[in-house]
Amino acid sequence: MEPSFTNYWVSRILSSTSFQMLSVAIGWQMYSLTHDAFSLGFVGLAQFIPMVLLTLVVGHAADRFDRRKIVFLCQITEGAIAALLLFGNISGWLGREQILLAAAVIGACRAFEGPSSSALLPQLVPQAVIQQAIAWSTSAGQAAQILGPSLGGVLFSIGPNFVYAIATIALLIAGFLTILIRMEKSVRKLEPVSMRSLLSGLVFVYRHPVILGTISLDLFAVLLGGATALLPIFAQDILHTGPWGLGLMRTAPAIGALLMSIIFAYFPLKKAFGPTLFGALAVFGIATMVFALSTNLMISLIALLMIGASDVISVVIRSSLVQLQTPDEMRGRVNAVNSLFIGTSNQLGEFESGMVAGLIGTVPAAFIGGLGTIVVACLWMYLFPSLRKIRSLSEG
């Protein structure tokens, strides 16, 4: 890969890992200060609300301004917030309100950074290797999910100041690497700021069946297949393992995803993209059902590895389709819509799994969720035949 992509990839690892570390530290410190579960829930809400409220704005910004500079400013701002958390903790004025404000600002930065970073990627590599580039980018995210929480937990056990200090340094380095990225300037037709231009991303997605099917498929498939939200119950009540087992179970999907993304990076898919996409969703659903019925930790870990691996196959194909089927001048807005759908599916998927488990039991809820993913895949094959039949990334 080109040096610019290497800078992009390393920057993404540092930024995502820092976010995971800060999430652990902020959540733990909030609960230590308040001993209030509602305050802990508000931290997640403070990070999630900006993504929803800013979706149309961030997409428009990513299409009007230099995406590289947007990502840079977000990373530097996140680094400044981490530094303020460090200073506040040392000075003794860091409390509930300050933590919530920090979480909201970080959430707003992530809302801008995600779509801008995704829209930036196709400008860094030739179209012929976009699939490999997305696979490598996905591997960065998965590596961050594995390293970030564990590193954050270890550093927090030494002292929260260590988490905030390391995150500050990592985010500043990430920003420095981002601003070093060099790319050919693309000529984009800038639309005047209006309600029509703000909504044009949603309109574009609606008018293109392949993209609509791709984005909505993620929303409903992940919404129903969110068994990972129930891992603490499986670890304690079904598999009868301790915190160490829960840690292994939380890590297993990310490890499976990381391994598969590396395989994809070296052996990209050449044909049958549509059938492979739906096949991966079927494997995801079956693995979820196997996990639901398992009473053996090893079988459960293998099922979770398969869940992570099959999810990455789906992610790489869907991301590649969205990136290559969207004109550069629309990528920011379309990626903003995509980010909203992904974020919503993850959040609502955990909520749905918890509610259904409370009503009918943990095992039936997880099993029905896996079955629901397969049903959604079959339904989408019928509703979006163009997506089912697609053979190459260049097909419309």
Side-chain angles (χ1 to χ4, degrees):
M1 290 291 180
E2 296 293 328
S4 288
F5 178 79
T6 301
N7 287 346
Y8 172 92
W9 185 73
V10 176
S11 173
R12 178 169 164 78
I13 289 179
L14 292 173
S15 177
S16 299
T17 301
S18 298
F19 173 72
Q20 296 290 342
M21 290 168 55
L22 289 173
S23 295
V24 169
I26 287 173
W28 197 297
Q29 189 153 28
M30 173 65 88
Y31 192 70
S32 297
L33 289 171
T34 65
H35 297 285
D36 177 22
F38 287 105
S39 294
L40 196 59
F42 280 127
V43 172
L45 190 63
Q47 292 178 333
F48 178 67
I49 286 178
M51 182 182 69
V52 177
L53 297 181
L54 295 173
T55 296
L56 299 179
V57 176
V58 301
H60 199 277
D63 285 335
R64 287 188 66 86
F65 304 108
D66 188 330
R67 294 159 183 165
R68 179 185 53 120
K69 292 181 180 178
I70 294 175
V71 174
F72 166 76
L73 289 173
C74 289
Q75 291 168 340
I76 295 300
T77 303
E78 291 168 47
I81 294 298
L84 283 174
L85 288 169
L86 172 62
F87 180 72
N89 198 57
I90 293 174
S91 303
W93 53 258
L94 188 63
R96 179 179 182 273
E97 289 73 22
Q98 289 78 22
I99 292 176
L100 287 176
L101 180 60
V105 175
I106 291 173
C109 288
R110 299 292 293 182
F112 275 91
E113 183 180 351
S116 300
S117 180
S118 296
L120 175 64
L121 179 57
Q123 294 179 260
L124 305 180
V125 297
Q127 181 173 322
V129 297
I130 188 68
Q131 189 184 157
Q132 294 99 308
I134 289 174
W136 278 116
S137 179
T138 302
S139 74
Q142 296 302 329
Q145 287 188 30
I146 296 171
L147 295 174
S150 56
L151 184 57
V154 169
L155 290 173
F156 195 93
S157 66
I158 302 173
N161 293 339
F162 287 93
V163 182
Y164 299 139
I166 296 298
T168 299
I169 295 170
L171 285 163
L172 293 178
I173 294 174
F176 176 72
L177 290 173
T178 298
I179 207 65
L180 288 180
I181 291 174
R182 294 291 176 261
M183 57 190 181
E184 293 183 8
K185 290 187 177 181
S186 59
V187 179
R188 283 178 274 169
K189 182 181 178 182
L190 299 181
E191 300 178 50
V193 179
S194 64
M195 185 57 64
R196 178 180 178 181
S197 65
L198 288 173
L199 295 175
S200 58
L202 289 169
V203 174
F204 182 89
V205 169
Y206 177 76
R207 289 180 176 175
H208 291 77
V210 169
I211 296 179
L212 176 61
T214 298
I215 293 178
S216 59
L217 182 60
D218 175 81
L219 172 63
F220 289 101
V222 175
L223 179 64
L224 293 172
T228 52
L230 306 175
L231 289 183
I233 303 175
F234 276 97
Q236 185 172 348
D237 298 339
I238 297 171
L239 299 172
H240 306 291
T241 182
W244 64 273
L246 176 59
L248 287 175
M249 291 163 65
R250 285 196 177 278
T251 305
I255 292 176
L258 177 60
L259 293 175
M260 182 54 68
S261 61
I262 293 174
I263 291 172
F264 245 111
Y266 285 103
F267 303 100
L269 190 64
K270 300 295 185 183
K271 56 184 179 180
F273 284 85
T276 303
L277 171 61
F278 288 106
L281 285 171
V283 172
F284 181 93
I286 293 170
T288 301
M289 291 189 288
V290 170
F291 172 77
L293 298 176
S294 170
T295 56
N296 180 277
L297 179 59
M298 186 57 65
I299 294 176
S300 297
L301 290 175
I302 293 172
L304 288 169
L305 284 169
M306 294 301 297
I307 287 173
S310 58
D311 185 49
V312 157
I313 296 174
S314 172
V315 166
V316 171
I317 293 175
R318 286 187 281 107
S319 299
S320 299
L321 287 172
V322 170
Q323 297 287 29
L324 291 181
Q325 308 242 346
T326 305
D328 183 63
E329 64 271 13
M330 288 294 301
R331 281 199 181 111
R333 281 163 284 186
V334 171
N335 275 289
V337 174
N338 192 27
S339 295
L340 176 62
F341 273 53
I342 292 172
T344 302
S345 65
N346 289 331
Q347 298 288 337
L348 293 183
E350 293 184 4
F351 175 77
E352 178 270 339
S353 296
M355 292 299 100
V356 176
L359 291 172
I360 65 175
T362 304
V363 172
F367 185 87
I368 291 174
L371 182 61
T373 299
I374 296 175
V375 171
V376 166
C378 293
L379 182 60
W380 256 241
M381 289 175 69
Y382 171 76
L383 293 175
F384 299 94
S386 57
L387 181 58
R388 182 187 75 238
K389 297 174 182 178
I390 200 164
R391 289 294 185 271
S392 70
L393 293 177
S394 59
E395 289 183 35

